[in-house]
Structures are given as structure tokens and as C-alpha cells.
Amino acid sequence: GHMWRLSGDSSASWSYITSIIQQAVYYINYVQFYAHGDMDMMEIGNGALTIQEQRTHFAAWCFLKSPILLGTDLSKLSTDQLAIIKNKELLAFSQDTTYGAAAKPYVSGFTYFSGTSTAGAHVFMINYNSTAGSMTVNFSAVPELQSKTSWKVHDMVSD
């Protein structure tokens, strides 16, 4: 397969994580089976990333279908950090054998993404702020949901 670096070496900082996510979007139409934008090594368990930032970090690498490369000592990860990297639903989206495309932004900006896997349609949201906030999804704006009249909502991270 083919993959291409999207940046220099990673760092365990929220500013790096958010910048590489936004940079990956510019190459999103090239991501497919055997073609992946390498967002670099994951920083789960490194630096001062909050648990929420680490969850977002892992989710973004999965839904953008970047190679999952962990750059940390696995024996030092907390139970919460291990739960992040073992998230079966996110890993299933990332490694789906039927759908190779990454989730794509469906409104302007890099906050709301949608994609398809064998499990169905998925919506991903990123809060780039350093504080918690509310976010709203308009299901009728999600391309994969426009032909549907009802939806099952499920949190892939917290459930």
C-alpha cells in the first residue's frame, strides 16, 4: 500500500493534534484502501493531553483512517488510556474491509465529519477548544443520512 507523511514529527500537544487533523482534511479525497495519510505517531499516554483530548486524538486517527502507530510504553498506560486504544467501534471503522474512505467534513470547517462503514453511517464531531462545550448535529445535513427518516444515535466513545 501507499501512505504519505502529512507533517514533521508529532508532539504530545493539543495544538499539534488539532493542526494535523486540519491538515489531513486537505488530502481526504485520496484516502482509500491502500492509500493513507500518515498523521504520524499517536501520543496517547504522552505529554499533558487530557483524557478527552486523547479520546479525540484516537477517534480522529481512526475516522481519518491514518495508520494507527502508538508511540508510548503500553505498560504505563492507565485503564482509561487502554480503553481508548481498545475502542472496538473506532477500530472497526478505521479497519473496515468494505469501506476504505475516511470520514469527510460535511459542513464548512473541520468540526463535523461523516462516513460509512459496514456498521452504517457515522457522524464525528471535534471540539477544538480547550474547554468543554455543547455541539449540535443536524441529521438532515449529514449526506449519509439524507435518505433516512429515523436514526439510532449511539456514542462510540462513551458507551
Side-chain angles (χ1 to χ4, degrees):
H2 300 284
M3 70 178 187
W4 53 91
R5 288 286 303 262
L6 296 176
S7 72
D9 290 343
S10 68
S11 68
S13 69
W14 185 236
S15 62
Y16 170 79
I17 302 301
T18 58
S19 70
I20 194 64
I21 291 168
Q22 293 173 18
Q23 189 171 349
V25 172
Y26 292 108
Y27 300 94
I28 203 89
N29 291 324
Y30 301 104
V31 175
Q32 193 50 265
F33 290 117
Y34 312 110
H36 303 280
D38 180 3
M39 295 164 61
D40 206 9
M41 201 165 302
M42 299 197 69
E43 297 290 351
I44 309 298
N46 299 332
L49 294 169
T50 68
I51 200 71
Q52 293 82 7
E53 290 168 344
Q54 291 175 72
R55 284 183 185 126
T56 301
H57 176 20
F58 187 75
W61 262 239
C62 287
F63 73 72
L64 293 170
K65 302 217 176 179
S66 180
I68 305 295
L69 304 169
L70 298 170
T72 194
D73 182 344
L74 296 178
S75 69
K76 294 183 180 179
L77 294 181
S78 70
T79 303
D80 287 340
Q81 291 165 329
L82 286 170
I84 291 169
I85 65 171
K86 291 179 178 181
N87 185 308
K88 290 180 182 180
E89 290 184 272
L90 289 172
L91 288 169
F93 184 90
S94 173
Q95 305 298 312
D96 196 280
T97 59
T98 303
Y99 297 93
K104 297 179 181 177
Y106 66 88
V107 293
S108 63
F110 308 119
T111 301
Y112 297 93
F113 296 78
S114 65
T116 303
S117 77
T118 53
H122 302 274
V123 177
F124 303 95
M125 301 175 288
I126 298 178
N127 173 4
Y128 290 97
N129 298 318
S130 56
T131 58
S134 296
M135 299 178 81
T136 303
V137 172
N138 178 353
F139 291 133
S140 64
V142 179
E144 293 82 357
L145 300 178
Q146 290 178 352
S147 64
K148 309 284 184 191
T149 57
S150 65
W151 307 276
K152 176 185 173 190
V153 178
H154 170 71
D155 184 339
M156 294 173 70
V157 176
S158 298
D159 289 351

